[in-house]
Amino acid sequence: MNWFLENAFLIPLIPAVSFVVILLFGRSVIGVERVQKVGITAVGIVWILSMIAAVSWITRVEDSTSSKSDDAEHAQIAVNEGLSASAAAGVDGQLHLAAGDDGHGADDGHGYATTEPVISESDGWWSSGGVDFAVGTLVDGQTVLLLIVVTSISLLVHIYSSEYVKGDRRFVHYYAFLSLFTASMLFFVMAQNLVQMIVGWELVGVCSFVLIGHWWEERPNTDAAVKAFLTNRVGDIGLLVGVAILFGTFGTFDIDAINRAVGEMGSEVHFALLMASIALMAAVCSKSGQFPLHTWLPDAMAGPTPVSALIHAATMVVAGVFMIGRLYPVFFEGFSIGTSSINLMAFIGGFTALAGAGLAFAQWDIKKVLAYSTVSQLGYMVMALGVGAWTAAMFHLFTHAFFKACLFLGAGSVSHAAHHTFDMREMGGLRKYMPHTYKTFVISTLALAGIFPFAGFWSKDEILLGALAGQQNAYPLMLIFGCVVALLTAAYMTRVIWYTFWGEYRGHGHPHESPKVMTVPLWILAVMAVVAGAFNLPTPVLEVFGLEGLAHLVQTYAEPTHYLNAIGLSHPDPSLWLALFGLALALAGIAITFIYFWRNTGPHGLTERNRYAKAGYTFLEQKYYLDHLYTDIVVGSIKAPIARAANWVNDNVIDKVVNTAGEGARDSGRWVYRWIDQGTIDNTVNALGTGADAGGQGLRVMQTGKVQNYGSLLFGTAAVVAIVFVIVL
């Protein structure tokens, strides 16, 4: 089974080949009407390989756990018989201590099996300045988890798009770049070293740029694509600086080697890790939509809705979260997560979660509501990592991918059937016309809101638990942020359902349910929104059914304990009262919002009666004036002086040089025309013509027509020639 893990490079290779085939032969050989089959087949194969890789990894962990359990048991027996631990290690010289002794045994102190170290395969890439650069794959539980997410969502989006984008003028181009994005994202999550990670990071950014501007004839789409590209470039400076610091500190780009070195060196390189963490957080803020570089993500909804579901909800936007998880020892030690009660990462994540949830209330575009919801949930994940809840963050990444992709595709289904609009004011009453879309949308909304027993309830609860218990200290401010966001999330999603599916239809045309090629992916994602929480259920829940062996699957198989145990990461015990409190907040958000609309009670028209309420709503409508700050003040203050300076140079330097050169050329031409052309050449030609005319007139006198005159001239000429010859010779 390890063959699939050791040859995992095939997984990103297949969609990369699909990209080349579709782009080169999509129109001429394959045909526009069949090109989607190539992309769907390629991603389908990759999904199967990812499932095999997951089974292979689970088998590997189970075998490792069994082996270590046996070694621990033998060691304990030997100790009971009075032998030393080293003597009990066996003839192979490899010491296996009892469970939990060094963090590499069969148990991590909480009853969960630890994972085997990563499978790192690499080969030479190039050399420069004495530094060898490698290319390869790094496979562990975190990699396998992301492989499942990326390939599953990508496959469903490929299928869904075959109807949603059908007949599009760039249908071939669309499927080609879907394949390239899938390959790039898979390449990124399997990167063996930081240089590969940078390559994958930039490739997914390029694909995002292309697909956001898919309909580039419309100016807002191109503006959104450029905004996303430039905003991400700002954060990418931090990525390059952070990678440079890590290489300068550890002398390698190898991710596994860096993580192990952090566990061994710890506080010895704390300052370097702090600087690297701060720089890398800039990259996280841009790619994963964290405050204050989140402004590009809502505008990215200008692209096709399946692109929003795949790239800007479930996969690319979690690249920053994945990077933190991949280099977690760096951030854990750099930000002193285990010993502090607040740090930069936790605060940015918590504040982003709160800010995104607030902005979602002031949107009428259903996709932008979901976009700000994504910003908020990404903040939840970053906050979880900031408080030391690694497993909770990855678990929420996993569950969020399914229910948020379902919500985005549901928004696309609504638009597809309701005259291609995303304005909720032109919807309403669609539950009667679109029962499948409505049911799947509600299921995913309940999961997002954190309602029991849907997937979001379990992952959100673990994040709040991490903020409450922390590591050595709690994170009270982050807990407050998390609780408020839980209330707001349920409230703004209830608002979406009310305006979209309840009441009377306010739009144009005759709405209808989408075809099965669109609704079947919705139901698959909705089912995952229900059952995905089962992948990391706490032990007390499963003990009721006698299934405690299935508890904490994400923690058991995805958590890199060989890194995290070395830095002292711990796991808090489940809290029933906190889970109930989080559930109560979500239910309260739904109830308050539903009563506000359904019973028509509450402060309706408050923004018209109260200037403070109006100012607050305007503040939300203007997106905290961040776009104004960036566009009009920051960019404007830089662009305007540069533009004025460039205009001055254009008028006073470039234009003057061009005008002077033109005037000089004009005067030179006039002089040449007057003195050379007219005065010399023309006069010479005229003089020659006059001379020839005069000579002709003279010779004409001799043309008498009398033979005797011609004979006399001939005789005279012959005599002159003879005399010349006599004299000369």
Side-chain angles (χ1 to χ4, degrees):
M1 296 292 287
N2 282 339
W3 184 91
F4 293 99
L5 304 177
E6 295 167 356
N7 295 275
F9 68 90
L10 294 172
I11 293 178
L13 179 62
I14 293 173
V17 172
S18 171
F19 162 72
V20 175
V21 171
I22 293 174
L23 197 64
L24 296 182
F25 308 108
R27 292 186 180 276
S28 58
V29 178
I30 301 172
V32 176
E33 67 281 358
R34 296 187 300 273
V35 74
Q36 76 275 12
K37 296 180 180 179
V38 177
I40 293 172
T41 301
V43 179
I45 294 172
V46 169
W47 182 82
I48 294 172
L49 292 178
S50 298
M51 294 301 109
I52 295 175
V55 173
S56 301
W57 179 258
I58 292 172
T59 303
R60 178 184 175 87
V61 172
E62 290 294 334
D63 291 345
S64 173
T65 302
S66 299
S67 175
K68 289 180 179 179
S69 297
D70 292 342
D71 289 340
E73 182 180 354
H74 294 158
Q76 186 62 48
I77 293 173
V79 170
N80 292 338
E81 294 176 354
L83 299 177
S84 66
S86 58
V91 295
D92 61 354
Q94 188 175 17
L95 178 62
H96 297 290
L97 298 179
D101 285 356
D102 65 349
H104 296 279
D107 191 284
D108 69 351
H110 299 276
Y112 314 123
T114 59
T115 60
E116 187 73 3
V118 301
I119 298 177
S120 181
E121 301 287 337
S122 63
D123 200 355
W125 197 356
W126 87 90
S127 297
S128 177
V131 178
D132 295 327
F133 295 87
V135 60
T137 58
L138 180 65
V139 179
D140 65 355
Q142 185 183 3
T143 303
V144 170
L145 186 70
L146 265 292
L147 290 180
I148 295 172
V149 170
V150 174
T151 56
S152 298
I153 304 299
S154 181
L155 177 59
L156 294 174
V157 166
H158 272 72
I159 296 171
Y160 180 97
S161 297
S162 63
E163 175 63 28
Y164 189 87
V165 195
K166 185 177 181 180
D168 188 86
R169 53 184 173 269
R170 276 184 289 277
F171 191 72
V172 173
H173 170 277
Y174 174 85
Y175 266 96
F177 276 92
L178 276 188
S179 291
L180 180 61
F181 170 79
T182 304
S184 302
M185 190 66 194
L186 294 172
F187 179 84
F188 170 76
V189 301
M190 298 174 63
Q192 186 267 346
N193 57 71
L194 296 178
V195 176
Q196 272 185 265
M197 184 175 284
I198 291 173
V199 174
W201 184 278
E202 298 300 336
L203 280 174
V204 295
V206 169
C207 293
S208 174
F209 168 77
V210 172
L211 290 169
I212 291 172
H214 178 72
W215 295 307
W216 52 263
E217 294 87 352
E218 301 172 18
R219 181 63 182 270
N221 299 339
T222 57
D223 288 346
V226 171
K227 183 177 182 179
F229 187 81
L230 294 181
T231 304
N232 276 273
R233 296 294 74 73
V234 172
D236 289 353
I237 300 299
L239 176 65
L240 298 178
V241 172
V243 168
I245 293 173
L246 291 178
F247 177 76
T249 303
F250 300 106
T252 181
F253 291 108
D254 188 291
I255 294 172
D256 182 50
I258 291 173
N259 285 335
R260 291 179 184 276
V262 172
E264 295 171 1
M265 301 173 72
S267 59
E268 298 176 19
V269 291
H270 173 74
F271 182 74
L273 295 178
L274 175 60
M275 294 297 102
S277 300
I278 293 173
L280 292 174
M281 273 304 298
V284 174
C285 287
S286 63
K287 190 70 75 178
S288 291
Q290 300 298 288
F291 182 89
L293 298 179
H294 66 279
T295 57
W296 69 270
L297 185 54
D299 290 353
M301 299 303 105
T305 301
V307 170
S308 301
L310 174 63
I311 298 181
H312 305 122
T315 54
M316 187 201 80
V317 291
V318 302
V321 178
F322 174 85
M323 182 184 69
I324 297 175
R326 180 61 96 196
L327 296 170
Y328 199 59
V330 173
F331 291 93
F332 192 87
E333 294 291 347
F335 287 135
S336 301
I337 293 174
T339 56
S340 66
S341 59
I342 191 170
N343 58 69
L344 181 65
M345 184 195 301
F347 180 78
I348 288 178
F351 188 79
T352 300
L354 187 61
L359 288 173
F361 276 103
Q363 305 301 314
W364 288 107
D365 185 312
I366 187 173
K367 284 179 65 177
K368 288 196 174 183
V369 175
L370 297 177
Y372 281 116
S373 174
T374 300
V375 169
S376 180
Q377 296 304 307
L378 290 170
Y380 240 120
M381 299 174 205
V382 173
M383 184 184 77
L385 291 166
V387 302
W390 187 97
T391 302
M394 293 300 115
F395 183 34
H396 195 59
L397 184 156
F398 178 75
T399 59
H400 174 267
F402 294 106
F403 58 69
K404 186 53 67 67
C406 185
L407 289 171
F408 267 107
L409 294 183
S413 177
V414 168
S415 170
H416 188 73
H419 207 64
H420 301 286
T421 181
F422 292 102
D423 192 334
M424 293 186 293
R425 289 169 294 190
E426 298 183 15
M427 298 178 185
L430 293 178
R431 61 192 175 95
K432 295 179 290 186
Y433 306 100
M434 309 178 70
H436 294 290
T437 301
Y438 170 67
K439 292 174 183 176
T440 55
F441 201 95
V442 169
I443 290 171
S444 298
T445 294
L446 294 174
L448 173 59
I451 302 301
F452 177 85
F454 299 94
F457 167 81
W458 305 103
S459 55
K460 179 200 69 176
D461 175 61
E462 290 200 18
I463 294 175
L464 296 179
L465 182 62
L468 173 67
Q471 295 299 301
Q472 297 181 19
N473 299 299
Y475 284 78
L477 181 59
M478 304 307 108
L479 179 61
I480 294 172
F481 281 162
C483 290
V484 173
V485 171
L487 175 69
L488 295 179
T489 301
Y492 68 68
M493 287 308 301
T494 304
R495 172 179 176 265
V496 170
I497 289 180
W498 177 268
Y499 277 114
T500 305
F501 295 102
W502 286 74
E504 297 298 325
Y505 182 62
R506 301 177 295 274
H508 306 285
H510 303 282
H512 54 82
E513 184 60 273
S514 299
K516 288 186 177 180
V517 73
M518 295 173 66
T519 56
V520 169
L522 289 177
W523 273 112
I524 294 173
L525 291 169
V527 170
M528 288 302 298
V530 176
V531 304
F535 285 83
N536 206 53
L537 291 176
T539 303
V541 174
L542 291 172
E543 281 180 342
V544 177
F545 305 99
L547 301 173
E548 57 271 15
L550 299 178
H552 292 280
L553 296 179
V554 172
Q555 182 173 315
T556 302
Y557 299 110
E559 186 177 279
T561 52
H562 47 285
Y563 302 147
L564 304 187
N565 287 345
I567 59 177
L569 189 74
S570 61
H571 302 87
D573 294 325
S575 172
L576 177 61
W577 75 263
L578 183 62
L580 294 176
F581 181 69
L583 176 60
L585 288 173
L587 292 174
I590 294 174
I592 292 171
T593 309
F594 194 72
I595 291 173
Y596 178 85
F597 290 111
W598 184 47
R599 294 295 187 183
N600 199 28
T601 58
H604 289 275
L606 182 62
T607 56
E608 299 176 1
R609 301 191 304 269
N610 187 293
R611 62 175 182 173
Y612 298 108
K614 182 177 181 180
Y617 188 78
T618 302
F619 190 57
L620 292 177
E621 270 192 322
Q622 295 299 322
K623 309 169 189 175
Y624 307 133
Y625 291 97
L626 287 176
D627 281 336
H628 173 70
L629 172 65
Y630 296 151
T631 304
D632 300 334
I633 298 178
V634 176
V635 176
S637 63
I638 297 173
K639 182 174 66 176
I642 293 176
R644 286 194 294 267
N647 186 61
W648 184 90
V649 170
N650 181 64
D651 291 341
N652 297 279
V653 179
I654 300 176
D655 283 357
K656 190 172 183 178
V657 170
V658 173
N659 292 337
T660 301
E663 291 171 357
R666 181 195 63 195
D667 294 341
S668 297
R670 288 176 177 175
W671 187 87
V672 169
Y673 175 77
R674 179 177 179 182
W675 297 106
I676 303 299
D677 184 55
Q678 296 291 321
T680 302
I681 299 175
D682 282 2
N683 289 339
T684 300
V685 172
N686 292 337
L688 291 174
T690 302
D693 181 65
Q697 293 296 332
L699 293 174
R700 185 180 298 170
V701 176
M702 300 172 63
Q703 301 297 320
T704 62
K706 297 179 179 180
V707 176
Q708 57 270 30
N709 290 343
Y710 298 154
S712 298
L713 288 173
L714 179 61
F715 177 77
T717 301
V720 171
V721 171
I723 292 171
V724 170
F725 273 104
V726 170
I727 294 173
V728 173
L729 298 176

